[in-house]
Amino acid sequence: MLGLLGDEWTLLVLQQALLGATRYGDFRSGLPISDAVLTNRLRTLTAEGLLERRVYQKNPPRAEYLTTPRSRSLWPMLVSIWAWERRWVSDHVPALPAMRHTACDAEFAPQVICRACGEPASDKDVVAQWGPSGTWARSIPAVTTRRRSGSAEAGMFPQTMSVLGNRWGFAILVAAFVGFSRFTDFQTQLAAPPGSVADRLSIFVANGVLVAADNRYRLTEKGRGLFAVIITALQWAQRWFEAPEGPAVELAHTACGRRFTAGLTCDQCGGRLRGSQVARS
Ligand SMILES: [Zn+2]
Ligand SMILES: [Zn+2]
């Protein structure tokens, strides 16, 4: 999941596709993206089964790019990233537009709920443990996400990318949610090079995601806000990259005692969100 989605342009192209872009020109006009980068990302996304390329005209040849079940199920993660950046990252120029829930026509923020009991859920009442296929070693990509061809960063979600665009960043944040707080714990648990751990921790402290005190690193309220991003990313990964022996991580909702699966509701009308009901305001 990190190898695939730890790339800002990839996320932005997917977001445009989910908002209705299908043709090359739609993506080109919706994003400040170069031809080289767009062509590269469309090719990767097609190869990974996130977009389906369909030729709609033979002469001259023209193709469109359609979403697939795999990419359509990414909307909870993309909506969560959008909401977190809007709420916590103030230096977007121009400001990120709001999202509208078409069912109630209000500008909204998504709320995480437990699908088993329907109640709101947060990192405080969801516990995680390794499942049959779970270890840190197996969950952290072997190579750092490559900077793919010609990729000047889009710069639209810089703080999200400090989490998703770096293999240690995501792992450290997950470890912080699980309860680790000491430098040496992050390092030994993840078997990470000390320099990489120090580097990520200092970026998270600078961004206000973690706060350092008494030799411990703890999540701030802003950091806790990433719960929705992490949980929706994890669920998507476990759905589409299933290990034969079972899931990597098992989640439980302590409030109801059942297995935790996240749903998203609209904070304005309380209704369950669907990907098809989220529009740009
Ligand atoms: Zn529950
Ligand atoms: Zn609503």
Side-chain angles (χ1 to χ4, degrees):
M1 183 274 287
L2 291 178
L4 188 57
L5 301 182
D7 175 90
E8 190 177 13
W9 284 120
T10 298
L11 291 178
L12 290 167
V13 169
L14 279 172
Q15 183 194 39
Q16 290 295 311
L18 291 173
L19 287 170
T22 57
R23 298 185 177 183
Y24 192 89
D26 300 338
F27 293 103
R28 195 74 171 78
S29 61
L31 293 170
I33 194 169
S34 72
D35 285 317
V37 174
L38 178 55
T39 302
N40 173 282
R41 296 310 187 275
L42 288 172
R43 192 179 298 133
T44 307
L45 287 167
T46 303
E48 297 288 347
L50 289 159
L51 291 177
E52 185 194 337
R53 184 175 185 274
R54 194 172 68 185
V55 175
Y56 65 87
Q57 182 184 305
K58 285 253 158 59
N59 193 17
R62 293 271 184 274
E64 59 189 356
Y65 296 87
L66 307 175
T67 57
T68 63
R70 186 179 269 211
S71 53
R72 283 195 290 278
S73 61
L74 266 176
W75 73 265
M77 176 185 158
L78 291 169
V79 162
S80 299
I81 290 174
W82 193 264
W84 184 78
E85 290 272 342
R86 252 181 72 79
R87 161 113 198 250
W88 293 104
V89 185
S90 56
D91 50 3
H92 286 289
V93 181
L96 285 180
M99 291 175 297
R100 192 165 51 83
H101 183 209
T102 57
C104 70
D105 209 34
E107 291 185 355
F108 77 100
Q111 304 276 301
V112 177
I113 58 144
C114 164
R115 281 207 219 174
C117 67
E119 293 298 316
S122 75
D123 61 292
K124 298 201 171 74
D125 48 34
V126 173
V127 291
Q129 60 181 31
W130 288 122
S133 67
T135 61
W136 286 116
R138 197 162 154 176
S139 299
I140 298 167
V143 290
T144 307
T145 311
R146 276 165 298 137
R147 292 276 161 257
R148 300 189 185 96
S149 73
S151 53
E153 294 298 307
M156 286 177 75
F157 305 136
Q159 296 205 11
T160 297
M161 295 325 291
S162 77
V163 178
L164 288 180
N166 179 287
R167 59 183 171 146
W168 301 118
F170 191 82
I172 285 172
L173 212 61
V174 171
F177 273 109
V178 173
F180 294 108
S181 61
R182 291 172 196 270
F183 185 95
T184 48
D185 291 338
F186 290 122
Q187 197 206 322
T188 50
Q189 283 291 323
L190 312 183
S196 303
V197 175
D199 177 52
R200 280 299 117 182
L201 288 174
S202 72
I203 288 172
F204 287 152
V205 170
N207 286 350
V209 165
L210 295 176
V211 61
D214 306 327
N215 288 319
R216 287 177 186 271
Y217 295 87
R218 295 183 198 285
L219 289 161
T220 60
E221 197 191 344
K222 178 178 176 179
R224 293 193 178 280
L226 285 165
F227 173 72
V229 175
I230 288 181
I231 220 79
T232 51
L234 189 66
Q235 277 185 192
W236 183 82
Q238 301 211 131
R239 173 167 171 194
W240 294 103
F241 300 95
E242 207 175 346
E245 63 270 41
V249 179
E250 287 172 341
L251 302 169
H253 189 212
T254 54
C256 71
R258 282 182 275 180
R259 209 166 82 175
F260 179 74
T261 313
L264 295 180
T265 57
C266 166
D267 69 341
Q268 298 300 304
C269 70
R272 270 292 290 280
L273 288 174
R274 294 166 175 277
S276 58
Q277 298 172 333
V278 175
R280 202 179 278 243
S281 193

